[in-house]
Amino acid sequence: MRNITKTFNLFLLLFLFLDFSAQAQDYAKVDNIVKTYAGSFSSTDKLAERIAKDFTRDDEKARAVFTWIATNIKYDYAAYGVNERPVAYSFRTQEEKELKQKAMKQELAQKTLKSKKGVCQGYSTLFAVVADKLGLEAVIIPGSSKSHPAHIGKAPVASDHAWNAVKIRGEWKLLDATFAAGTVVGEKPEFVFKFNDKYFFSDPDVFFLNHFPDDKKWLLTDKTEQDFANLPLYYGNYLLGDYEFITPKEGIFKAASSENIVFKIKNLQPGDNIFYAFSRDRIFKEVNPDKKGDIATFSIPLNSKSVGTLTIYINQKSVASYKINKA
């Protein structure tokens, strides 16, 4: 009997492992199905109904909502930073309060869906509302982002961003449909769609590179405000390339004629080229790293003219920025 039990337990573990592995690789199929959807829906109910017809697993439903939003909702750069008056409402009971908050979320989600544009609050609210209609437990998480070189060295004090967590099989998973949608480029800032699924169900330590929640319980990892402040700025291309900067871990250096910053990068591919530039002179310089196994090592010299921002580029795409202060 004991041997039968052990055999059954082993079979169960193997089954769960294979099931998890299959789930981890199924999202390309989910994305391809979602790409056949209409580019607009008349209501959040209609979007939820379409997704419910195609998917039964909770993680696939969450992925479908995430992918549709990130590939169809345009970031409204013109509305970024525009102060809005707080919405005032009265209530007599907790139940009435919750009903009014739910109605406000539905209104914002519908507005985002109809206009097909929004800022982070619109993206995250639309995800939460549609996820709820699909029977998923999802929350909106306000917090601080690290999305500009000016954020390097600054502690997360003012909430400037919002993202989501969704519970899958009893475990909270982090996602950010806003960051996944694309990027703002050009001297005259313009949003460009560029789907980045690395912001879906991200490892908490990776998600932390750009996100610090107002409520620390949503970190889902053991990190601090100081850790966040000390980070370099990692761009979406860093995640897309599956790069890992082993060194340096800190994001701030002092310009000195005798100092070099040593970089060790993991997961570079054959043919990848690396450049760097200082914001002060905007001259791109190529480096020829020393490669040992899957780790490439190179150094960048600093001098009194290096003050400003140092950005590393891989294949002409920015992957990380560092702040260089006066010595």
Side-chain angles (χ1 to χ4, degrees), residues 69 95 127 134 303:
I69 292 173
E95 182 181 8
F127 179 90
L134 288 166
N303 57 51

Side-chain angles (χ1 to χ4, degrees), residues 11-264:
F11 174 79
L12 181 61
L13 286 172
L14 180 61
F15 173 80
L16 289 174
F17 173 76
L18 291 173
D19 184 51
F20 176 80
S21 298
Q23 288 184 30
Q25 309 206 8
D26 271 356
Y27 296 134
K29 181 180 178 181
V30 174
D31 293 346
N32 287 334
I33 292 174
V34 172
K35 287 176 184 177
T36 68
Y37 288 7
S40 61
F41 285 86
S42 59
S43 69
T44 53
D45 286 321
K46 293 295 184 182
L47 176 55
E49 287 170 9
R50 178 60 198 267
I51 291 172
K53 285 182 180 179
D54 291 328
F55 306 104
T56 57
R57 283 201 336 237
D58 285 351
D59 63 316
E60 290 183 331
K61 291 178 183 177
R63 175 68 176 214
V65 182
F66 169 86
T67 299
W68 191 89
I69 292 173
T71 55
N72 287 281
I73 302 300
K74 182 178 181 180
Y75 188 81
D76 190 2
Y77 184 77
Y80 174 75
V82 175
N83 293 322
E84 297 183 357
R85 292 182 179 181
V87 177
Y89 60 95
S90 59
F91 56 90
R92 289 173 293 180
T93 65
Q94 182 65 25
E95 182 181 8
E96 185 180 358
K97 176 184 177 182
E98 291 174 358
L99 285 173
K100 288 192 175 183
Q101 289 178 334
K102 185 175 182 179
M104 289 164 59
K105 287 180 181 178
Q106 178 63 55
E107 183 180 351
L108 176 56
Q110 185 64 28
K111 176 184 176 182
T112 304
L113 186 71
K114 185 176 180 180
S115 67
K116 294 191 66 177
K117 63 181 181 179
V119 292
C120 58
Q121 197 65 38
Y123 281 84
S124 57
T125 301
L126 179 56
F127 179 90
V129 167
V130 178
D132 179 68
K133 293 179 183 296
L134 288 166
L136 303 177
E137 185 177 354
V139 296
I140 300 168
I141 304 173
S144 300
S145 67
K146 204 176 192 96
S147 56
H148 190 278
H151 295 158
I152 302 172
K154 291 188 176 181
V157 288
S159 180
D160 65 358
H161 192 43
W163 55 94
N164 299 98
V166 60
K167 186 176 283 188
I168 304 295
R169 292 187 174 183
E171 182 180 356
W172 286 106
K173 300 287 188 178
L174 299 166
L175 60 99
D176 187 340
T178 310
F179 277 16
T183 185
V184 176
V185 298
E187 292 185 6
K188 293 183 178 180
E190 179 183 6
F191 175 78
V192 175
F193 279 107
K194 184 180 180 181
F195 184 54
N196 188 342
D197 73 338
K198 299 298 182 179
Y199 292 107
F200 179 78
F201 288 10
S202 309
D203 181 285
D205 286 331
V206 174
F207 202 77
F208 166 76
L209 298 179
N210 300 99
H211 303 78
F212 198 97
D214 290 346
D215 186 342
K216 292 182 186 178
K217 78 176 184 181
W218 293 113
L219 280 169
L220 307 184
T221 184
D222 186 18
K223 301 292 184 181
T224 68
E225 291 90 341
Q226 193 59 49
D227 293 333
F228 188 74
N230 291 340
L231 285 170
L233 168 60
Y234 293 104
Y235 297 93
N237 294 316
Y238 177 82
L239 275 67
L240 274 174
D242 286 323
Y243 305 119
E244 180 184 351
F245 280 33
I246 300 172
T247 62
K249 295 294 188 183
E250 65 274 19
I252 302 176
F253 294 89
K254 289 186 177 181
S257 57
S258 60
E259 184 177 356
N260 288 344
I261 305 177
V262 177
F263 288 82
K264 290 187 177 182

